[in-house]
Amino acid sequence: MRQHDTRNGRIVLISGRRSFCSIFSVLPYRDSTQVGDLKLDGGRQSAGAVSLKEIIGLEGVELGADGKTVSYTQFLLPTNAFGARRNTIDSTSSFSQFRNLSHRSLSTGRASSTQGSLDTGSDLGDFMDYDPNLLDDPQWPCGKHKRVLIFPSYMTTVIDYVKPSDLKKDMNETFKEKFPHIKLTLSKIRSLKREMRKLAQEDCGLEEPTVAMAFVYFEKLALTGKLSKQNRKLCAGACVLLAAKIGSDLKKHEVKHLIDKLEEKFRLNRRELIAFEFPVLVALEFALHLPEHEVMPHYRRLVQSS
C-alpha cells in the first residue's frame, strides 16, 4: 500500500481467489470555515469565496463558523431504523401510486395544531405535530366575517361579503395572534407557495409529488419560525431544489436549468442559493424522506386544482 498513491483514487480489496471484497476511497479531512469556489457549470467556475457569515442565516441553526466544529449526529437515524419507517415519499415511489390513491376528504381535525403556538425556544423545532392542512385551511380567510347558525336539524354558515383587502388584513391579524413567532404573514406564505408551484411545474416540469414535498419543507420552516423577510426566497428556492433532488431523477443539465430558473424568478444569487441548501437541510433535521400522511394532503390539493 505504501508503494501506491491512494489519495486520488479508489482502493479495491480482493481475496486470494480474486473474489471481490470491498471498494472505498480515502478523502483527506479538511476543516474549513468557508465555502470554497463552487463549480456551477462544468468548466465555468465562479470567482471568490462565500463566507458563512455573509450568508443570510436561519435562526437557531448553527453551522460551525469561526473554526468551530458542529456535530449533527442527533439528527441521524441508525441504519436499522429505516426498516420501521415505511410509507415514505422518495424517488423510488412511482407517481402512478399517488394517482391511483382515492381522493379521501381532507382531515378536519386541526384542533391539536391550532391550540397553541410552537415553542420558539427550541433550536430546530419539533416536526412531530406537523399538520399539512393547517396553512391551507379554508377557514382562515373567513375570520370574524363568518357566522355559524345552529338549528335543531342542521347547521349552516353565513359569510358576509367583505372587500378582499379587508379580508386579507383580518386573516393576517388572526394568524399573527395564533402564531406570534412566525415572522411572515399567512398571505405572504401562500403567495410564495404559489410562486414555488408555478416555477416547479410550469417552468421546470416537476411532478406534483415533488412540489408537495417542497411545500412540506417550506411549511416546516415557516411553522418553526425560521422564515423571515430577508431569507424567505432563499428558503423557498432551497426547498424546491432539495425536493427536486430527492423526489425526481434529474440529470445534470436539468439541475442547472432548475437553478437558472430559481435565480431568475426569485431574483436570487446563485452562490447564495447553493450555499443556503445546507442550513435548510440542518433546519429540517436531515428529514427529507417524508411520511405519506404529510405529503398526500398537499398532493391532493395540487391535483384537484390542476
Side-chain angles (χ1 to χ4, degrees):
M1 293 295 292
R2 295 179 180 177
Q3 298 175 1
H4 304 280
D5 185 4
T6 60
R7 289 175 296 180
N8 297 317
R10 291 182 179 150
I11 301 175
V12 180
L13 300 181
I14 60 175
S15 67
R17 296 183 179 181
R18 298 183 178 274
S19 299
F20 175 78
C21 294
S22 177
I23 181 171
F24 63 93
S25 301
V26 178
L27 299 177
Y29 173 76
R30 182 173 55 188
D31 187 7
S32 175
T33 60
Q34 291 185 337
V35 179
D37 294 340
L38 301 173
K39 276 199 172 183
L40 303 175
D41 181 20
R44 187 179 72 178
Q45 188 171 3
S46 58
V50 178
S51 172
L52 292 175
K53 288 184 177 180
E54 299 172 359
I55 302 172
I56 301 174
L58 291 175
E59 183 179 347
V61 177
E62 191 174 5
L63 298 178
D66 299 327
K68 181 180 179 181
T69 302
V70 178
S71 174
Y72 303 109
T73 54
Q74 69 270 24
F75 302 140
L76 303 180
L77 295 174
T79 303
N80 58 2
F82 286 99
R85 294 184 64 183
R86 304 187 185 277
N87 296 328
T88 56
I89 307 299
D90 55 21
S91 57
T92 60
S93 304
S94 79
F95 294 140
S96 60
Q97 290 179 331
F98 299 115
R99 292 193 173 94
N100 292 334
L101 288 174
S102 60
H103 286 221
R104 299 183 295 272
S105 60
L106 297 179
S107 172
T108 58
R110 302 180 180 95
S112 61
S113 298
T114 57
Q115 285 178 351
S117 61
L118 299 175
D119 182 14
T120 55
S122 175
D123 287 339
L124 295 175
D126 186 4
F127 301 142
M128 296 300 293
D129 297 325
Y130 168 71
D131 182 1
N133 297 315
L134 177 60
L135 297 182
D136 288 304
D137 190 340
Q139 298 296 326
W140 275 114
C142 302
K144 60 186 177 183
H145 307 283
K146 178 181 69 173
R147 181 180 302 171
V148 179
L149 304 177
I150 301 177
F151 297 96
S153 58
Y154 66 95
M155 180 174 63
T156 185
T157 302
V158 178
I159 302 176
D160 300 332
Y161 173 77
V162 65
K163 292 181 180 180
S165 57
D166 295 338
L167 190 62
K168 176 181 176 182
K169 181 180 179 182
D170 178 57
M171 177 184 70
N172 289 331
E173 289 178 352
T174 305
F175 182 76
K176 187 65 177 178
E177 291 176 1
K178 287 183 174 291
F179 304 99
H181 67 284
I182 298 180
K183 303 176 182 64
L184 296 183
T185 62
L186 180 59
S187 60
K188 177 56 67 176
I189 293 174
R190 289 180 172 179
S191 174
L192 285 168
K193 288 173 61 180
R194 287 193 296 269
E195 292 183 41
M196 292 167 62
R197 177 184 180 180
K198 182 178 179 181
L199 182 146
Q201 290 190 292
E202 298 181 11
D203 297 336
C204 300
L206 299 179
E207 297 281 352
E208 286 87 353
T210 303
V211 181
M213 292 173 65
F215 281 179
V216 176
Y217 299 156
F218 187 71
E219 287 190 357
K220 285 183 176 181
L221 294 178
L223 292 172
T224 50
K226 298 294 187 293
L227 294 184
S228 66
K229 187 176 181 181
Q230 292 75 24
N231 67 17
R232 66 188 191 280
K233 291 192 175 182
L234 279 171
C235 286
C239 289
V240 173
L241 190 57
L242 287 171
K245 290 180 178 180
I246 293 294
S248 301
D249 185 17
L250 298 182
K251 307 299 182 183
K252 181 178 179 180
H253 70 277
E254 292 174 324
V255 176
K256 180 182 180 300
H257 175 69
L258 175 59
I259 294 176
D260 288 339
K261 286 298 180 180
L262 289 170
E263 186 179 20
E264 175 188 349
K265 298 296 183 179
F266 287 160
R267 291 176 231 158
L268 300 173
N269 181 285
R270 177 180 300 231
R271 293 168 57 78
E272 290 183 356
L273 173 63
I274 296 175
F276 204 72
E277 206 175 355
F278 185 72
V280 169
L281 184 61
V282 174
L284 292 172
E285 299 183 0
F286 296 90
L288 297 185
H289 292 273
L290 302 170
E292 183 179 311
H293 71 272
E294 292 183 359
V295 180
M296 287 305 298
H298 292 288
Y299 171 75
R300 283 194 289 268
R301 283 190 287 268
L302 288 169
V303 172
Q304 290 169 359
S305 60
S306 61

